Amino acid sequence: MTAFIAVDWGSTSFRAWSIRAGGQVLAESRSAEGMLHCAGSATGFAPVLQAHLAHLAAPADTPVLICGMAGARQGWIEAPYATLPAPVAALAGAAVRVPAEQTEGRDVRILPGLAQQIESDVMRGEETQLLGLALAGHQGLACMPGTHCKWAWMRDGAIAAFVTAMTGEMFALLKAHALIGQDMTGPVIAGDAFLAG
């Protein structure tokens, strides 16, 4: 039986999982209906969520927990950034509830991103993915590859610090708009240099 629906709503993609009380994934639903799609459409965010909830056959009383760009200023409902250090309780306590009239009465909450005031760096979505490491007691460095790669330092059950590297976005720009991208064809092979990195 589904305990809650977990949603990672990024800039360009939507991913939802039906989660059992013990943490097992029962079903998932994915699409390219990210924040940019929803913010730029006449229908907005609510219909996209409702369609995915229907696909997951989520009962009306199943709560939904959203992380990612749906909580950005240009997203569905702004969930202001929390600051470091960020234990699980701090993120959960700062979740913003979406008004019931937009969710057909369902309990839908959006988790905040994280802001690092010293470095003026932010993350939205990755902090929720890092909670698993925090709950497992991970100490040390974690790398989260992506469009905006995050390197996060975990300490005492919290995200202690992080830094963003624009490697994924730079790769995409070079591949699509630079002369070097014309030669970037064929399969990707994880060679020795890649594995060492």
Side-chain angles (χ1 to χ4, degrees), residues 104-126:
E104 298 181 6
R106 186 185 298 269
D107 184 358
V108 177
R109 296 174 194 249
I110 301 177
L111 290 167
L114 288 180
Q116 188 166 235
Q117 302 303 326
I118 297 171
E119 303 292 334
S120 298
D121 203 348
V122 296
M123 67 169 60
R124 215 175 255 290
E126 296 92 350

Side-chain angles (χ1 to χ4, degrees), residues 1 3 51 53-54 60 64 73 81 94 122 127 134 143 149 163 165 175 190-191:
M1 180 174 162
L53 292 174
V64 178
R73 186 171 291 130
Y81 289 106
V122 296
E127 75 291 332
C143 177
C149 179
V163 65
K175 187 173 186 310

Side-chain angles (χ1 to χ4, degrees), residues 44-73:
F45 290 81
V48 170
L49 178 62
Q50 293 301 336
H52 284 276
L53 292 174
H55 180 260
L56 292 170
D61 61 346
T62 306
V64 178
L65 194 57
I66 300 172
C67 73
M69 293 302 289
R73 186 171 291 130

Side-chain angles (χ1 to χ4, degrees), residues 93-105:
V96 174
R97 187 167 185 167
V98 177
E101 60 270 15
Q102 295 185 37
T103 64
E104 298 181 6

Side-chain angles (χ1 to χ4, degrees), residues 20-66:
R20 184 178 287 166
Q24 301 89 352
V25 175
L26 299 173
E28 69 176 286
S29 184
R30 296 171 177 255
S31 76
E33 297 165 301
M35 182 268 299
L36 294 173
H37 166 84
C38 296
S41 74
T43 55
F45 290 81
V48 170
L49 178 62
Q50 293 301 336
H52 284 276
L53 292 174
H55 180 260
L56 292 170
D61 61 346
T62 306
V64 178
L65 194 57
I66 300 172

